[in-house]
Amino acid sequence: MNTVPAGSATGEIPSAERRTERVVIIGAGIVGCALADELTARGWSDVTVLEQGPLASPGGSTSHAPGLVFRTSPSKTLTAYAAYTVEKFSSLRVDGRSCFLPVGGLEVATSEERWLDLHRKAGLAASWGVQGELVGPARCAELFPMLDPERVLGGFHTPGDGLARAVLACHAQTARAQRRGARFLDRHTVTGIERDGGRVTGVVTDRGTFPADHVVSAAGFWGPVIGAMAGVDVPLLPLAHQYAKTAPLPSLAGSGARGGGGPHGAEAVRPILRHQDHDLYYREHLDPSGGAGRIGIGTYAHRPLPVDPYAVPAYDEAPVMPSSLPFTEEDFAPSWAETGRMLPQLAASRVGEGFNGVFSFTPDGMPLLGESRALRGFWLAEAVWVTHSAGAARAVAEWMTDGRTSVDAHECDLHRFEKAQRSPAYVRDRGERGFVEVYDVIHPLQPPERPRPLRTSPFYPRERELGAYFLESGGWERPHWYEANAPLVRDLGIQVPERDAWTAQHWSPIAAAEAKVTREKVALYDMTPLRRLEVTGPGSLDFLQRMTSNNLNKRVGAVTYTLLLDETGGIRSDLTAARLGPDRWQLGANTPADLDWLIRRAPEGVQVRDITSGTCCVGVWGPLARELVQPLTPADFSHGAFGYFKARETYIGHVPVTALRLSYVGELGWELYADADVGLRLWDTLWEAGQRLGVIAAGRSAFNSLRLEKGYRAWGADMTAEHTPEEAGVGFAVRPAKGDFTGREALAALDAPARRLVCLTLDDPAAVVMGSEPVHVDGVPAGYVTSASYGYSVGRCVAYAWVPAGAASPGTPVHVEYFGEKVSATVAAEPLFDPEMARIRC
């Protein structure tokens, strides 16, 4: 929705549009150079880039990066960043040499599991608009002749991927930024960050102090060091990754000279090869003069090798460069042996040279982007690999200049981690795990192994007694089903289609039984991990009216579904706002970034705080919910006295609760909130009273099925800041007539949507998809699935998907591509279950 300014890629900005903000970027690696280019292209010409090493090759990760750019990722955001990196670097040249070599990428499978995963990856590529094809062993060997086709089941070829010449791209972007007024200063070691009144004011170096309105840490694996100077936590772990080159190979003699006159230059002519079953990748290093070339080998197969960023030597003290550590041959030995088997021509060769190169990992493997709330004007552009460098830099530049990003960045927002996820021990554990799993086949629901359990609700002891199967999100242990309900599968005559091996992971038919009991009786759901914010103080109503899209000017006791929009009308988040007093609100929110967004904008006298950790929540849902709770409370829970979307503070037994008449499963019921210290008593009170009604505990697997049958959107999956309310089907939560609010003017100026979020039902009752699969309209990939689950009440898989507006009418036939197969589906009118809302409003 937000367009990049004309000239941001190559052109100049008219002087009338130039900005006077003083920006200091710390680090002249690929991210710092790209950011300087992007900022100056947007008119911010007072940009200074400080580098501790020489500009020619600063000595950070950029200086040794092998330059692999594989665009396809499970993350739509990272795929977009990589695609922009390819586009931008392809347009950059230095002395006639392109900064990107489109040699293509080839990922091969030597196991059935990997071959299936490549089919899934081909689907992701189609969803995100990346050209690719699955090929057989013979074609794999044709693309990379050293490969032994007998060991390969097939491959995934992406011709538009290739090699970024990172150092060259730094030079090209530096030159453009300098022409627009930026200055680059090498041999400047940062020693401190100046601040005043909670804002950054300058950067101190060993060669002087530089005043600044904005400081961006693009220091790579030194990010935690720079962050500490600013008093800003940077949850990043530097790790060493092995890279080696073979001795010169006579078989590659002349390849570089032949490639020199072609579009690929002389460094490489064949695709980058990834052998992920053994955590390996390969690329050519050809001799442009016609001599024998080499093969570069990178491996993640060795033990994690964490690096203390404070102990990394300075540029002039490092034997090679700060990011290049001594090669540990014993760690490389298994990878070299496997290389000889996979590429038999190399068996007679040897390792000519190698090093352990340092780069950055975060607890979830995503970059750290955005402005710190702890120190205004201090920005992070950290944990960004060369693959995503230009795209991530563009995002930060947009954030700084426009206040938002054109590609949704919530997965990269530096505030996304919970406090419990920011400890050094957690960052190390998850960072090391991320290194080990870089090339693993990871199921979308697969939980990390440690540290667990970290965050548990007060109900956790009872959930364990009931045999809960826990998955993890945000550090929370979340029950997905309960083994105690296994007999219900037989007793209720539950029959569900048999699942394939992929969708059967982290799933049980018990979820179907739990969904049925919720529809027919009553169930307890642990909703404690749902984020709760408290907003208090005089002016809180006016503040929330300006911040959100719906009309909150209602009586105390009203609950309203509303949206947080950005200035362009994009959906930053969705909220439930319960007015508990004239100046007291409880908000049901999504991520820590919601808290950050509101705190930054709260006027004096209005307080916003996260109360999630000190409270708990149990959802009591089902036709018998009122029969369960009414005898336990002095309040009147009848429909007339306690209507839908209403709130009340009362008691359940001995426990004070805030009860919200909400239901995200489409059944009668309440969300009951209590302080954590009485949470276990709340659960036990409900459980004991519910035995006569056949109450059960139910998990997130059933919850997800039920909410999709009702058409309830999940922010971050079904809709993000890239989408508008009308597109996403939540336009009912926008009330322009209430007065001014963020995004109001932008919404009024929008044209009719070109795309829509729609409900799909798979035509085959036995078919199941999981999300991110491409949707084909008239035989062409035209959209993608956001959320999906088997709808146990409707007897088929339900999937929400983005499709062109012309294909959004109910009854439209489409196909969902699942592991290479086209599964027939139909656009359905929503909601699928109880469209009259009779079951909720009773």
Side-chain angles (χ1 to χ4, degrees), residues 746-816:
L747 292 182
L750 290 176
D751 295 329
R755 58 185 175 179
R756 296 277 188 178
L757 182 67
V758 300
C759 176
L760 305 179
T761 56
L762 302 193
D763 296 346
D764 181 354
V768 177
V769 297
M770 296 194 65
S772 298
E773 296 89 357
V775 176
H776 294 251
V777 178
D778 296 328
V780 178
Y784 59 92
V785 173
T786 57
S787 298
S789 177
Y790 199 85
Y792 302 111
S793 307
V794 299
R796 63 190 62 243
C797 186
V798 181
Y800 272 75
W802 284 100
V803 300
S809 299
T812 302
V814 298
H815 288 87
V816 178

Side-chain angles (χ1 to χ4, degrees), residues 52-54 57-60 64 187 221-222 311-326 356 358:
Q52 63 181 338
S57 185
H64 66 68
R187 301 293 187 174
F221 61 80
W222 286 286
V312 175
Y315 188 92
D316 293 325
E317 297 172 1
V320 180
M321 65 178 72
S323 62
S324 181
L325 304 181
N356 291 4
V358 185

Side-chain angles (χ1 to χ4, degrees), residues 134-419:
L134 294 164
V135 296
R139 177 58 176 156
C140 290
E142 181 182 338
L143 290 165
F144 203 96
M146 290 185 178
L147 185 66
D148 179 4
E150 297 298 322
R151 295 202 64 209
V152 174
L153 298 177
F156 178 49
H157 179 221
T158 47
D161 291 338
L163 295 167
R165 286 168 160 159
V167 173
L168 207 64
C170 284
H171 295 169
Q173 293 174 106
T174 295
R176 295 204 315 185
Q178 287 173 327
R179 288 196 298 270
R180 303 185 191 111
R183 58 176 175 168
F184 287 71
L185 304 176
D186 63 2
R187 301 293 187 174
H188 280 65
T189 300
V190 174
T191 59
I193 304 295
E194 292 188 333
R195 38 194 157 150
D196 181 56
R199 282 205 64 89
V200 69
T201 59
V203 177
V204 182
T205 76
D206 57 352
R207 299 176 65 178
T209 299
F210 296 83
D213 301 304
H214 300 273
V215 173
V216 185
S217 178
F221 61 80
W222 286 286
V225 179
I226 301 299
M229 295 179 189
V232 174
D233 177 37
V234 180
L236 175 160
L237 178 70
L239 284 158
H241 160 60
Q242 290 197 303
Y243 191 79
K245 295 179 183 178
T246 64
L249 300 169
S251 62
L252 294 181
S255 297
R258 290 193 296 273
H264 301 160
E267 291 181 31
V269 295
R270 296 180 180 86
I272 313 159
L273 174 66
R274 288 210 285 199
H275 176 26
Q276 293 170 295
D277 283 325
H278 284 266
D279 301 307
L280 284 158
Y281 65 82
Y282 306 92
R283 60 151 293 184
E284 294 179 319
H285 291 275
L286 303 179
D287 182 349
S289 65
R294 304 180 182 210
I295 295 294
I297 307 166
T299 178
Y300 294 95
H302 55 82
R303 61 194 169 95
L305 300 167
V307 175
D308 181 357
Y310 289 91
V312 175
Y315 188 92
D316 293 325
E317 297 172 1
V320 180
M321 65 178 72
S323 62
S324 181
L325 304 181
F327 189 60
T328 49
E329 295 184 11
E330 65 278 10
D331 289 311
F332 193 74
S335 294
W336 179 246
E338 173 59 25
T339 294
R341 292 187 288 268
M342 192 67 173
L343 308 177
Q345 291 184 38
L346 301 187
S349 185
R350 60 180 175 81
V351 175
E353 58 185 81
F355 64 95
N356 291 4
V358 185
F359 65 149
S360 305
F361 277 80
T362 58
D364 60 2
M366 299 293 287
L368 297 169
L369 309 179
E371 182 189 20
S372 169
R373 188 171 70 247
L375 181 61
R376 302 296 177 87
F378 185 82
W379 297 76
L380 295 186
E382 297 289 8
V384 180
W385 295 4
V386 170
T387 303
H388 312 110
S389 55
R394 179 180 65 169
V396 175
E398 291 172 335
W399 223 328
M400 295 175 71
T401 59
D402 303 333
R404 73 178 304 276
T405 61
S406 56
V407 174
D408 175 68
H410 81 273
E411 294 175 303
C412 307
D413 193 310
L414 64 90
H415 299 101
R416 68 187 180 273
F417 294 116
E418 308 284 353
K419 186 177 180 180

